[in-house]
Amino acid sequence: MAQETVTFEVRRYRPEREEQPVWERFEVPVREEWMVLDALNHIKDHVDGSLSYRWSCRMGVCGSCGMTVNGDPVLTCATYVAALPRDRPVRVEPLAAFPVVRDLVVDIRDFLAKLKQVKPWLIRREEKSPAEGEYLQTPEELADYKQYSMCINCLLCYAACPIVPLEPEFVGPAAIALAQRYNLDSRDQGAAERMAALSTEHGVWACTFVGDCSVVCPKHVDPAGAIQRYKVSATADWFRSVLMPWRGR
Amino acid sequence: MSEPARANPRYTPYHPRWHRRRMPIFWWLGRLSYTRFITRELTSLAVAYTALFLLAALCALAYGEADWEAFLARLRHPGWVAFHVGVFLFLLFHTVTWLGLAPKALVLKVGRRRLPDAAVVAGHYAAWAAASALVLAFFLWRTG
């Protein structure tokens, strides 16, 4: 099996040892099929067991292992070491835009609070009784929101967005995309409730459409598209409420 | 289990101490996509300038032939010509990037199928070409 020694530079932050993060070098014997996460696991298992980072499924589903590799936010379980340039060390840092707890582990509580604000669940004015049967949906109705339902909350989009650190109150790409996932669901009736969190200066209107959130998304959710679509529908709603005030939203 | 080495005197045991990174002022030079975004935003100044310029041209026209001729004479100065070539290039960049982004915001359906992004962009370019042709036809009709 082909093996090659690759230099990794990992951003370490051990608050009991240093006030500012430092770079630490590791020489890792990498196999051809290894992902960046495999290299980190090698470091933890054989070189320094104190290296801290999150991971779980190793197959791009759980969204835990998002980190910054060579400046780009990626899932480390889906990034081949072989695909990275060899002329310089592979640099691994925590996701940008989040406070660092330790080494490559970031604090995501702010995101979880924002996610809750947009009520990412089906809202019904009145629930049908089980006897009335399920809520049916056509394949076309499913296609309307399916793309947005693929989000795995990996937070790469937050790390790619320059507005998130500049405007800490910004609800952010993934939360808005998830809100749209429910707004566009034919079974949902909660769009008006979500509007309080979405159509504000900290909601969609904080987005300046850099578009990198969609570029880095490993699940092709296209949060930038979701935000722009919401801007259009919120504007149409506003015009409708001004021009036809007698009609409820 | 041994105590971890504590080289940081400001560390309080068992109390989290997050590291928060600051956004540098020149963050928009850090990635090509950020620089492209800032350029697109800045070119909107060229759009605003063009609107004001057209208003100024209309005012000069309204004040009479002498004012209009003086306005045109000023515009023939090489400095103004160079400036307006720059403004035109900025306008072109703004238009092309803006039209390229249109499908993100505009989701059109024909029957049950969503119109492909390329068709939305093509529609915008067609509208742009039609508007330009209309202006050109009017100009040729008036001067021809």
Side-chain angles (χ1 to χ4, degrees), chain A residues 13 15-17 19-20 71-72 95 98 100 107 109 144 160 162 208-209 212 222 225 229, chain B residues 5-8 10-11 17-21 23 27 31 33-34 37 40 101 104-105 107 109:
Chain A
Y13 175 61
E16 74 283 357
R17 280 176 63 171
E19 283 213 29
Q20 293 296 321
D72 295 321
L95 283 181
F98 294 96
V100 183
D107 184 355
R109 283 179 298 175
D144 278 344
T208 52
F209 203 179
D212 268 20
D222 191 12
R229 281 183 73 179
Chain B
R6 268 190 218 137
N8 181 4
R10 293 174 64 187
Y11 176 71
R17 191 181 180 84
W18 294 270
H19 173 68
R20 292 170 203 275
R21 287 158 291 182
M23 195 76 162
W27 60 268
R31 288 175 77 88
S33 54
Y34 291 176
F37 154 73
R40 192 188 79 215
L101 293 172
K104 291 269 185 199
V107 175
K109 281 186 170 180

mmCIF file of all heavy atoms in Angstrom, chain A residues 13 15-17 19-20 71-72 95 98 100 107 109 144 160 162 208-209 212 222 225 229, chain B residues 5-8 10-11 17-21 23 27 31 33-34 37 40 101 104-105 107 109:
data_model
loop_
_atom_site.group_PDB
_atom_site.id
_atom_site.type_symbol
_atom_site.label_atom_id
_atom_site.label_comp_id
_atom_site.label_asym_id
_atom_site.label_seq_id
_atom_site.Cartn_x
_atom_site.Cartn_y
_atom_site.Cartn_z
ATOM 1 N N TYR A 13 -4.696 25.089 20.491
ATOM 2 C CA TYR A 13 -5.068 26.059 21.535
ATOM 3 C C TYR A 13 -5.395 25.278 22.787
ATOM 4 O O TYR A 13 -6.407 24.590 22.867
ATOM 5 C CB TYR A 13 -6.271 26.903 21.087
ATOM 6 C CG TYR A 13 -6.774 27.829 22.179
ATOM 7 C CD1 TYR A 13 -5.951 28.817 22.710
ATOM 8 C CD2 TYR A 13 -8.064 27.700 22.697
ATOM 9 C CE1 TYR A 13 -6.398 29.648 23.720
ATOM 10 C CE2 TYR A 13 -8.523 28.540 23.691
ATOM 11 C CZ TYR A 13 -7.686 29.510 24.205
ATOM 12 O OH TYR A 13 -8.132 30.322 25.211
ATOM 13 N N PRO A 15 -5.860 26.221 26.473
ATOM 14 C CA PRO A 15 -5.950 27.435 27.293
ATOM 15 C C PRO A 15 -5.133 27.380 28.579
ATOM 16 O O PRO A 15 -4.720 28.429 29.083
ATOM 17 C CB PRO A 15 -7.450 27.562 27.598
ATOM 18 C CG PRO A 15 -8.076 26.287 27.188
ATOM 19 C CD PRO A 15 -7.176 25.628 26.203
ATOM 20 N N GLU A 16 -4.871 26.167 29.093
ATOM 21 C CA GLU A 16 -4.077 26.100 30.318
ATOM 22 C C GLU A 16 -2.588 26.314 30.022
ATOM 23 O O GLU A 16 -1.805 26.572 30.931
ATOM 24 C CB GLU A 16 -4.302 24.753 31.025
ATOM 25 C CG GLU A 16 -3.634 23.543 30.398
ATOM 26 C CD GLU A 16 -4.362 23.029 29.159
ATOM 27 O OE1 GLU A 16 -5.428 23.583 28.821
ATOM 28 O OE2 GLU A 16 -3.862 22.082 28.519
ATOM 29 N N ARG A 17 -2.221 26.228 28.734
ATOM 30 C CA ARG A 17 -0.804 26.364 28.388
ATOM 31 C C ARG A 17 -0.468 27.663 27.687
ATOM 32 O O ARG A 17 0.565 28.267 27.928
ATOM 33 C CB ARG A 17 -0.379 25.197 27.484
ATOM 34 C CG ARG A 17 -0.112 23.957 28.268
ATOM 35 C CD ARG A 17 0.209 22.804 27.375
ATOM 36 N NE ARG A 17 1.432 23.006 26.589
ATOM 37 C CZ ARG A 17 1.986 22.046 25.871
ATOM 38 N NH1 ARG A 17 1.448 20.847 25.838
ATOM 39 N NH2 ARG A 17 3.072 22.269 25.187
ATOM 40 N N GLU A 19 -1.937 31.505 25.833
ATOM 41 C CA GLU A 19 -3.031 32.481 25.710
ATOM 42 C C GLU A 19 -3.506 32.587 24.279
ATOM 43 O O GLU A 19 -4.684 32.833 24.021
ATOM 44 C CB GLU A 19 -2.564 33.850 26.195
ATOM 45 C CG GLU A 19 -2.522 33.932 27.693
ATOM 46 C CD GLU A 19 -2.863 35.317 28.197
ATOM 47 O OE1 GLU A 19 -3.621 36.022 27.528
ATOM 48 O OE2 GLU A 19 -2.360 35.659 29.271
ATOM 49 N N GLN A 20 -2.581 32.443 23.338
ATOM 50 C CA GLN A 20 -2.900 32.528 21.915
ATOM 51 C C GLN A 20 -2.629 31.182 21.259
ATOM 52 O O GLN A 20 -1.704 30.474 21.672
ATOM 53 C CB GLN A 20 -2.028 33.600 21.246
ATOM 54 C CG GLN A 20 -2.325 35.017 21.699
ATOM 55 C CD GLN A 20 -3.727 35.484 21.339
ATOM 56 O OE1 GLN A 20 -4.232 35.184 20.257
ATOM 57 N NE2 GLN A 20 -4.368 36.205 22.242
ATOM 58 N N GLY A 71 -6.993 26.906 4.547
ATOM 59 C CA GLY A 71 -7.793 28.126 4.394
ATOM 60 C C GLY A 71 -9.227 27.926 3.978
ATOM 61 O O GLY A 71 -10.015 28.871 3.980
ATOM 62 N N ASP A 72 -9.602 26.683 3.604
ATOM 63 C CA ASP A 72 -10.974 26.440 3.151
ATOM 64 C C ASP A 72 -11.751 25.620 4.184
ATOM 65 O O ASP A 72 -11.231 24.621 4.693
ATOM 66 C CB ASP A 72 -10.976 25.668 1.826
ATOM 67 C CG ASP A 72 -10.368 26.486 0.703
ATOM 68 O OD1 ASP A 72 -10.628 27.700 0.663
ATOM 69 O OD2 ASP A 72 -9.631 25.909 -0.115
ATOM 70 N N LEU A 95 -12.825 25.861 12.582
ATOM 71 C CA LEU A 95 -13.703 26.631 11.702
ATOM 72 C C LEU A 95 -13.652 28.107 12.085
ATOM 73 O O LEU A 95 -13.714 28.444 13.274
ATOM 74 C CB LEU A 95 -15.142 26.129 11.819
ATOM 75 C CG LEU A 95 -15.490 24.832 11.105
ATOM 76 C CD1 LEU A 95 -16.957 24.512 11.324
ATOM 77 C CD2 LEU A 95 -15.186 24.912 9.606
ATOM 78 N N PHE A 98 -16.189 31.020 14.741
ATOM 79 C CA PHE A 98 -16.683 30.481 16.022
ATOM 80 C C PHE A 98 -15.597 30.614 17.090
ATOM 81 O O PHE A 98 -14.407 30.473 16.780
ATOM 82 C CB PHE A 98 -17.040 28.997 15.872
ATOM 83 C CG PHE A 98 -18.207 28.752 14.964
ATOM 84 C CD1 PHE A 98 -18.009 28.438 13.638
ATOM 85 C CD2 PHE A 98 -19.503 28.862 15.449
ATOM 86 C CE1 PHE A 98 -19.084 28.224 12.792
ATOM 87 C CE2 PHE A 98 -20.578 28.652 14.604
ATOM 88 C CZ PHE A 98 -20.369 28.336 13.274
ATOM 89 N N VAL A 100 -13.089 29.397 19.804
ATOM 90 C CA VAL A 100 -12.405 28.102 19.917
ATOM 91 C C VAL A 100 -12.389 27.675 21.378
ATOM 92 O O VAL A 100 -11.989 28.434 22.259
ATOM 93 C CB VAL A 100 -10.961 28.192 19.381
ATOM 94 C CG1 VAL A 100 -10.281 26.826 19.437
ATOM 95 C CG2 VAL A 100 -10.963 28.732 17.959
ATOM 96 N N ASP A 107 -17.072 26.375 19.696
ATOM 97 C CA ASP A 107 -18.308 26.469 20.471
ATOM 98 C C ASP A 107 -19.456 26.798 19.509
ATOM 99 O O ASP A 107 -19.442 27.853 18.863
ATOM 100 C CB ASP A 107 -18.141 27.583 21.510
ATOM 101 C CG ASP A 107 -19.341 27.678 22.428
ATOM 102 O OD1 ASP A 107 -20.324 26.946 22.197
ATOM 103 O OD2 ASP A 107 -19.311 28.502 23.363
ATOM 104 N N ARG A 109 -22.804 26.865 20.384
ATOM 105 C CA ARG A 109 -24.071 27.150 21.079
ATOM 106 C C ARG A 109 -24.821 28.326 20.460
ATOM 107 O O ARG A 109 -26.044 28.340 20.430
ATOM 108 C CB ARG A 109 -23.801 27.408 22.562
ATOM 109 C CG ARG A 109 -23.546 26.114 23.323
ATOM 110 C CD ARG A 109 -23.252 26.384 24.751
ATOM 111 N NE ARG A 109 -22.047 27.192 24.881
ATOM 112 C CZ ARG A 109 -21.594 27.661 26.028
ATOM 113 N NH1 ARG A 109 -22.231 27.429 27.147
ATOM 114 N NH2 ARG A 109 -20.488 28.375 26.082
ATOM 115 N N ASP A 144 -39.680 20.763 -4.152
ATOM 116 C CA ASP A 144 -39.602 22.183 -3.808
ATOM 117 C C ASP A 144 -38.663 22.447 -2.633
ATOM 118 O O ASP A 144 -38.038 23.490 -2.552
ATOM 119 C CB ASP A 144 -41.000 22.723 -3.454
ATOM 120 C CG ASP A 144 -41.787 23.070 -4.710
ATOM 121 O OD1 ASP A 144 -41.158 23.178 -5.775
ATOM 122 O OD2 ASP A 144 -43.019 23.210 -4.609
ATOM 123 N N ALA A 160 -17.553 30.058 6.117
ATOM 124 C CA ALA A 160 -17.221 30.674 4.825
ATOM 125 C C ALA A 160 -17.782 32.084 4.705
ATOM 126 O O ALA A 160 -17.296 32.882 3.903
ATOM 127 C CB ALA A 160 -17.763 29.813 3.685
ATOM 128 N N PRO A 162 -18.372 35.875 5.445
ATOM 129 C CA PRO A 162 -17.690 36.952 6.170
ATOM 130 C C PRO A 162 -18.645 37.790 7.021
ATOM 131 O O PRO A 162 -18.212 38.522 7.904
ATOM 132 C CB PRO A 162 -17.083 37.795 5.041
ATOM 133 C CG PRO A 162 -17.937 37.523 3.862
ATOM 134 C CD PRO A 162 -18.460 36.132 4.008
ATOM 135 N N THR A 208 -25.295 39.843 2.415
ATOM 136 C CA THR A 208 -24.906 40.702 1.297
ATOM 137 C C THR A 208 -24.610 39.882 0.039
ATOM 138 O O THR A 208 -24.085 40.417 -0.932
ATOM 139 C CB THR A 208 -23.664 41.538 1.658
ATOM 140 O OG1 THR A 208 -22.670 40.639 2.134
ATOM 141 C CG2 THR A 208 -23.972 42.560 2.725
ATOM 142 N N PHE A 209 -24.918 38.612 0.103
ATOM 143 C CA PHE A 209 -24.810 37.728 -1.065
ATOM 144 C C PHE A 209 -23.374 37.572 -1.560
ATOM 145 O O PHE A 209 -23.084 37.825 -2.728
ATOM 146 C CB PHE A 209 -25.719 38.253 -2.187
ATOM 147 C CG PHE A 209 -26.120 37.190 -3.189
ATOM 148 C CD1 PHE A 209 -26.962 37.495 -4.245
ATOM 149 C CD2 PHE A 209 -25.667 35.887 -3.083
ATOM 150 C CE1 PHE A 209 -27.337 36.544 -5.172
ATOM 151 C CE2 PHE A 209 -26.019 34.928 -4.000
ATOM 152 C CZ PHE A 209 -26.857 35.252 -5.037
ATOM 153 N N ASP A 212 -20.349 32.437 -0.836
ATOM 154 C CA ASP A 212 -19.425 31.349 -0.498
ATOM 155 C C ASP A 212 -20.089 30.228 0.305
ATOM 156 O O ASP A 212 -19.608 29.095 0.299
ATOM 157 C CB ASP A 212 -18.228 31.896 0.292
ATOM 158 C CG ASP A 212 -17.077 32.257 -0.633
ATOM 159 O OD1 ASP A 212 -17.341 32.436 -1.831
ATOM 160 O OD2 ASP A 212 -15.933 32.346 -0.158
ATOM 161 N N ASP A 222 -27.268 24.959 -1.063
ATOM 162 C CA ASP A 222 -27.407 26.298 -1.631
ATOM 163 C C ASP A 222 -28.115 27.272 -0.685
ATOM 164 O O ASP A 222 -29.180 27.811 -0.995
ATOM 165 C CB ASP A 222 -28.157 26.244 -2.970
ATOM 166 C CG ASP A 222 -28.088 27.575 -3.719
ATOM 167 O OD1 ASP A 222 -27.299 28.445 -3.325
ATOM 168 O OD2 ASP A 222 -28.839 27.736 -4.696
ATOM 169 N N GLY A 225 -28.917 30.708 -2.196
ATOM 170 C CA GLY A 225 -30.139 30.720 -3.003
ATOM 171 C C GLY A 225 -31.372 30.821 -2.122
ATOM 172 O O GLY A 225 -32.304 31.575 -2.425
ATOM 173 N N ARG A 229 -34.040 33.857 -2.297
ATOM 174 C CA ARG A 229 -35.454 33.536 -2.585
ATOM 175 C C ARG A 229 -36.348 34.107 -1.490
ATOM 176 O O ARG A 229 -37.441 34.610 -1.754
ATOM 177 C CB ARG A 229 -35.648 32.019 -2.645
ATOM 178 C CG ARG A 229 -35.193 31.403 -3.938
ATOM 179 C CD ARG A 229 -35.483 29.927 -3.961
ATOM 180 N NE ARG A 229 -36.910 29.648 -4.137
ATOM 181 C CZ ARG A 229 -37.423 28.422 -4.204
ATOM 182 N NH1 ARG A 229 -36.625 27.381 -4.122
ATOM 183 N NH2 ARG A 229 -38.709 28.242 -4.369
ATOM 184 N N ALA B 5 -0.046 20.546 32.229
ATOM 185 C CA ALA B 5 0.938 21.612 32.420
ATOM 186 C C ALA B 5 0.239 22.960 32.289
ATOM 187 O O ALA B 5 -0.511 23.177 31.349
ATOM 188 C CB ALA B 5 2.020 21.476 31.357
ATOM 189 N N ARG B 6 0.480 23.857 33.258
ATOM 190 C CA ARG B 6 -0.185 25.164 33.225
ATOM 191 C C ARG B 6 0.838 26.270 33.044
ATOM 192 O O ARG B 6 1.363 26.796 34.009
ATOM 193 C CB ARG B 6 -0.966 25.373 34.523
ATOM 194 C CG ARG B 6 -2.377 24.897 34.386
ATOM 195 C CD ARG B 6 -3.208 25.312 35.567
ATOM 196 N NE ARG B 6 -4.104 24.207 35.863
ATOM 197 C CZ ARG B 6 -4.362 23.765 37.072
ATOM 198 N NH1 ARG B 6 -3.779 24.319 38.115
ATOM 199 N NH2 ARG B 6 -5.184 22.770 37.257
ATOM 200 N N ALA B 7 1.112 26.563 31.788
ATOM 201 C CA ALA B 7 2.083 27.615 31.515
ATOM 202 C C ALA B 7 1.396 28.972 31.426
ATOM 203 O O ALA B 7 2.043 29.995 31.416
ATOM 204 C CB ALA B 7 2.814 27.313 30.222
ATOM 205 N N ASN B 8 0.081 28.960 31.324
ATOM 206 C CA ASN B 8 -0.662 30.216 31.215
ATOM 207 C C ASN B 8 -1.163 30.622 32.607
ATOM 208 O O ASN B 8 -2.098 30.019 33.130
ATOM 209 C CB ASN B 8 -1.838 30.019 30.250
ATOM 210 C CG ASN B 8 -2.646 31.288 30.059
ATOM 211 O OD1 ASN B 8 -2.295 32.341 30.591
ATOM 212 N ND2 ASN B 8 -3.740 31.176 29.315
ATOM 213 N N ARG B 10 -2.950 32.996 33.530
ATOM 214 C CA ARG B 10 -4.310 33.574 33.581
ATOM 215 C C ARG B 10 -5.387 32.510 33.454
ATOM 216 O O ARG B 10 -6.570 32.828 33.438
ATOM 217 C CB ARG B 10 -4.455 34.623 32.476
ATOM 218 C CG ARG B 10 -3.556 35.830 32.735
ATOM 219 C CD ARG B 10 -3.598 36.796 31.588
ATOM 220 N NE ARG B 10 -4.916 37.375 31.412
ATOM 221 C CZ ARG B 10 -5.253 38.159 30.400
ATOM 222 N NH1 ARG B 10 -4.352 38.430 29.469
ATOM 223 N NH2 ARG B 10 -6.451 38.661 30.297
ATOM 224 N N TYR B 11 -4.974 31.277 33.378
ATOM 225 C CA TYR B 11 -5.950 30.192 33.216
ATOM 226 C C TYR B 11 -6.549 29.809 34.567
ATOM 227 O O TYR B 11 -5.833 29.630 35.551
ATOM 228 C CB TYR B 11 -5.270 28.983 32.589
ATOM 229 C CG TYR B 11 -6.180 27.780 32.471
ATOM 230 C CD1 TYR B 11 -7.217 27.758 31.550
ATOM 231 C CD2 TYR B 11 -6.015 26.670 33.305
ATOM 232 C CE1 TYR B 11 -8.061 26.668 31.450
ATOM 233 C CE2 TYR B 11 -6.848 25.573 33.204
ATOM 234 C CZ TYR B 11 -7.867 25.577 32.272
ATOM 235 O OH TYR B 11 -8.696 24.491 32.170
ATOM 236 N N ARG B 17 -12.077 28.840 28.647
ATOM 237 C CA ARG B 17 -11.515 30.118 28.218
ATOM 238 C C ARG B 17 -11.420 30.074 26.700
ATOM 239 O O ARG B 17 -10.478 29.547 26.131
ATOM 240 C CB ARG B 17 -10.143 30.294 28.850
ATOM 241 C CG ARG B 17 -9.580 31.672 28.701
ATOM 242 C CD ARG B 17 -8.205 31.763 29.343
ATOM 243 N NE ARG B 17 -7.680 33.097 29.194
ATOM 244 C CZ ARG B 17 -7.978 34.097 30.024
ATOM 245 N NH1 ARG B 17 -8.734 33.906 31.052
ATOM 246 N NH2 ARG B 17 -7.484 35.304 29.814
ATOM 247 N N TRP B 18 -12.471 30.594 26.059
ATOM 248 C CA TRP B 18 -12.546 30.517 24.606
ATOM 249 C C TRP B 18 -11.552 31.470 23.964
ATOM 250 O O TRP B 18 -11.297 32.550 24.500
ATOM 251 C CB TRP B 18 -13.945 30.898 24.119
ATOM 252 C CG TRP B 18 -15.004 29.951 24.513
ATOM 253 C CD1 TRP B 18 -15.434 28.866 23.814
ATOM 254 C CD2 TRP B 18 -15.808 30.001 25.700
ATOM 255 N NE1 TRP B 18 -16.440 28.234 24.502
ATOM 256 C CE2 TRP B 18 -16.694 28.904 25.658
ATOM 257 C CE3 TRP B 18 -15.852 30.851 26.803
ATOM 258 C CZ2 TRP B 18 -17.619 28.641 26.658
ATOM 259 C CZ3 TRP B 18 -16.763 30.606 27.805
ATOM 260 C CH2 TRP B 18 -17.635 29.509 27.723
ATOM 261 N N HIS B 19 -11.071 31.058 22.817
ATOM 262 C CA HIS B 19 -10.269 31.989 22.021
ATOM 263 C C HIS B 19 -11.169 32.562 20.932
ATOM 264 O O HIS B 19 -11.737 31.815 20.142
ATOM 265 C CB HIS B 19 -9.070 31.288 21.387
ATOM 266 C CG HIS B 19 -8.325 32.171 20.442
ATOM 267 N ND1 HIS B 19 -7.610 33.271 20.867
ATOM 268 C CD2 HIS B 19 -8.216 32.153 19.093
ATOM 269 C CE1 HIS B 19 -7.098 33.876 19.816
ATOM 270 N NE2 HIS B 19 -7.451 33.226 18.736
ATOM 271 N N ARG B 20 -11.307 33.882 20.923
ATOM 272 C CA ARG B 20 -12.149 34.528 19.906
ATOM 273 C C ARG B 20 -11.256 35.273 18.932
ATOM 274 O O ARG B 20 -10.430 36.079 19.337
ATOM 275 C CB ARG B 20 -13.122 35.506 20.569
ATOM 276 C CG ARG B 20 -14.155 34.783 21.390
ATOM 277 C CD ARG B 20 -14.963 35.740 22.247
ATOM 278 N NE ARG B 20 -15.545 35.040 23.379
ATOM 279 C CZ ARG B 20 -16.676 34.376 23.354
ATOM 280 N NH1 ARG B 20 -17.383 34.335 22.246
ATOM 281 N NH2 ARG B 20 -17.122 33.760 24.434
ATOM 282 N N ARG B 21 -11.476 34.953 17.645
ATOM 283 C CA ARG B 21 -10.641 35.589 16.626
ATOM 284 C C ARG B 21 -11.292 36.857 16.120
ATOM 285 O O ARG B 21 -12.508 36.909 15.982
ATOM 286 C CB ARG B 21 -10.410 34.615 15.472
ATOM 287 C CG ARG B 21 -9.455 33.514 15.845
ATOM 288 C CD ARG B 21 -9.620 32.307 14.976
ATOM 289 N NE ARG B 21 -10.897 31.624 15.231
ATOM 290 C CZ ARG B 21 -11.256 30.509 14.625
ATOM 291 N NH1 ARG B 21 -10.481 29.974 13.732
ATOM 292 N NH2 ARG B 21 -12.417 29.936 14.920
ATOM 293 N N MET B 23 -11.899 39.738 13.185
ATOM 294 C CA MET B 23 -11.912 39.826 11.727
ATOM 295 C C MET B 23 -10.952 40.945 11.333
ATOM 296 O O MET B 23 -11.130 42.093 11.762
ATOM 297 C CB MET B 23 -13.351 40.158 11.299
ATOM 298 C CG MET B 23 -13.615 39.952 9.861
ATOM 299 S SD MET B 23 -13.806 38.230 9.461
ATOM 300 C CE MET B 23 -14.625 38.386 7.886
ATOM 301 N N TRP B 27 -10.095 41.820 5.524
ATOM 302 C CA TRP B 27 -10.596 40.458 5.359
ATOM 303 C C TRP B 27 -10.958 40.162 3.912
ATOM 304 O O TRP B 27 -10.832 39.038 3.439
ATOM 305 C CB TRP B 27 -11.816 40.230 6.260
ATOM 306 C CG TRP B 27 -12.964 41.146 5.969
ATOM 307 C CD1 TRP B 27 -13.199 42.338 6.558
ATOM 308 C CD2 TRP B 27 -14.013 40.961 5.006
ATOM 309 N NE1 TRP B 27 -14.317 42.927 6.035
ATOM 310 C CE2 TRP B 27 -14.841 42.099 5.081
ATOM 311 C CE3 TRP B 27 -14.342 39.949 4.103
ATOM 312 C CZ2 TRP B 27 -15.966 42.252 4.279
ATOM 313 C CZ3 TRP B 27 -15.460 40.102 3.300
ATOM 314 C CH2 TRP B 27 -16.251 41.235 3.399
ATOM 315 N N ARG B 31 -9.553 36.155 0.422
ATOM 316 C CA ARG B 31 -10.035 35.135 -0.520
ATOM 317 C C ARG B 31 -10.446 35.820 -1.808
ATOM 318 O O ARG B 31 -11.001 36.928 -1.770
ATOM 319 C CB ARG B 31 -11.268 34.409 0.040
ATOM 320 C CG ARG B 31 -10.988 33.479 1.166
ATOM 321 C CD ARG B 31 -12.292 32.931 1.693
ATOM 322 N NE ARG B 31 -12.826 31.892 0.840
ATOM 323 C CZ ARG B 31 -12.505 30.607 0.969
ATOM 324 N NH1 ARG B 31 -11.682 30.246 1.905
ATOM 325 N NH2 ARG B 31 -13.016 29.704 0.184
ATOM 326 N N SER B 33 -12.878 35.096 -3.751
ATOM 327 C CA SER B 33 -14.336 35.290 -3.826
ATOM 328 C C SER B 33 -14.766 36.523 -3.023
ATOM 329 O O SER B 33 -15.700 37.228 -3.404
ATOM 330 C CB SER B 33 -15.064 34.054 -3.323
ATOM 331 O OG SER B 33 -14.609 33.707 -2.036
ATOM 332 N N TYR B 34 -14.079 36.801 -1.894
ATOM 333 C CA TYR B 34 -14.408 37.989 -1.098
ATOM 334 C C TYR B 34 -14.043 39.252 -1.880
ATOM 335 O O TYR B 34 -14.791 40.232 -1.894
ATOM 336 C CB TYR B 34 -13.641 37.995 0.231
ATOM 337 C CG TYR B 34 -14.053 36.937 1.230
ATOM 338 C CD1 TYR B 34 -13.375 36.790 2.431
ATOM 339 C CD2 TYR B 34 -15.129 36.088 0.985
ATOM 340 C CE1 TYR B 34 -13.740 35.832 3.365
ATOM 341 C CE2 TYR B 34 -15.498 35.124 1.906
ATOM 342 C CZ TYR B 34 -14.804 34.995 3.096
ATOM 343 O OH TYR B 34 -15.160 34.055 4.012
ATOM 344 N N PHE B 37 -16.520 39.842 -4.510
ATOM 345 C CA PHE B 37 -17.757 40.354 -3.913
ATOM 346 C C PHE B 37 -17.647 41.851 -3.630
ATOM 347 O O PHE B 37 -18.543 42.629 -3.980
ATOM 348 C CB PHE B 37 -18.050 39.571 -2.619
ATOM 349 C CG PHE B 37 -18.865 40.325 -1.618
ATOM 350 C CD1 PHE B 37 -20.218 40.544 -1.821
ATOM 351 C CD2 PHE B 37 -18.286 40.831 -0.468
ATOM 352 C CE1 PHE B 37 -20.971 41.251 -0.906
ATOM 353 C CE2 PHE B 37 -19.032 41.534 0.458
ATOM 354 C CZ PHE B 37 -20.375 41.753 0.239
ATOM 355 N N ARG B 40 -17.783 43.806 -6.760
ATOM 356 C CA ARG B 40 -19.167 43.893 -7.247
ATOM 357 C C ARG B 40 -19.935 44.960 -6.467
ATOM 358 O O ARG B 40 -20.670 45.759 -7.049
ATOM 359 C CB ARG B 40 -19.854 42.536 -7.094
ATOM 360 C CG ARG B 40 -21.181 42.427 -7.814
ATOM 361 C CD ARG B 40 -21.874 41.128 -7.459
ATOM 362 N NE ARG B 40 -22.510 41.194 -6.174
ATOM 363 C CZ ARG B 40 -22.597 40.174 -5.319
ATOM 364 N NH1 ARG B 40 -22.053 39.018 -5.615
ATOM 365 N NH2 ARG B 40 -23.214 40.305 -4.164
ATOM 366 N N LEU B 101 -26.087 36.098 -11.054
ATOM 367 C CA LEU B 101 -26.637 35.707 -9.752
ATOM 368 C C LEU B 101 -28.161 35.601 -9.770
ATOM 369 O O LEU B 101 -28.765 35.073 -8.836
ATOM 370 C CB LEU B 101 -26.224 36.729 -8.678
ATOM 371 C CG LEU B 101 -24.731 36.775 -8.343
ATOM 372 C CD1 LEU B 101 -24.425 37.953 -7.430
ATOM 373 C CD2 LEU B 101 -24.286 35.486 -7.675
ATOM 374 N N LYS B 104 -30.348 32.593 -8.597
ATOM 375 C CA LYS B 104 -30.381 32.256 -7.166
ATOM 376 C C LYS B 104 -31.654 32.799 -6.521
ATOM 377 O O LYS B 104 -32.204 32.198 -5.602
ATOM 378 C CB LYS B 104 -29.175 32.870 -6.448
ATOM 379 C CG LYS B 104 -27.875 32.242 -6.833
ATOM 380 C CD LYS B 104 -27.550 31.095 -5.917
ATOM 381 C CE LYS B 104 -26.189 30.526 -6.212
ATOM 382 N NZ LYS B 104 -26.052 29.187 -5.678
ATOM 383 N N ALA B 105 -32.064 33.984 -6.983
ATOM 384 C CA ALA B 105 -33.216 34.628 -6.363
ATOM 385 C C ALA B 105 -34.513 34.299 -7.085
ATOM 386 O O ALA B 105 -35.588 34.331 -6.498
ATOM 387 C CB ALA B 105 -33.007 36.142 -6.341
ATOM 388 N N VAL B 107 -36.809 31.793 -8.955
ATOM 389 C CA VAL B 107 -37.133 30.398 -9.268
ATOM 390 C C VAL B 107 -38.424 30.406 -10.064
ATOM 391 O O VAL B 107 -39.488 30.738 -9.549
ATOM 392 C CB VAL B 107 -37.288 29.564 -7.980
ATOM 393 C CG1 VAL B 107 -37.737 28.154 -8.307
ATOM 394 C CG2 VAL B 107 -35.961 29.522 -7.228
ATOM 395 N N LYS B 109 -41.164 28.462 -12.653
ATOM 396 C CA LYS B 109 -41.627 27.128 -13.016
ATOM 397 C C LYS B 109 -42.449 27.193 -14.291
ATOM 398 O O LYS B 109 -43.264 28.109 -14.458
ATOM 399 C CB LYS B 109 -42.495 26.563 -11.894
ATOM 400 C CG LYS B 109 -41.682 26.021 -10.745
ATOM 401 C CD LYS B 109 -42.598 25.347 -9.758
ATOM 402 C CE LYS B 109 -41.799 24.582 -8.739
ATOM 403 N NZ LYS B 109 -42.667 23.927 -7.769
#
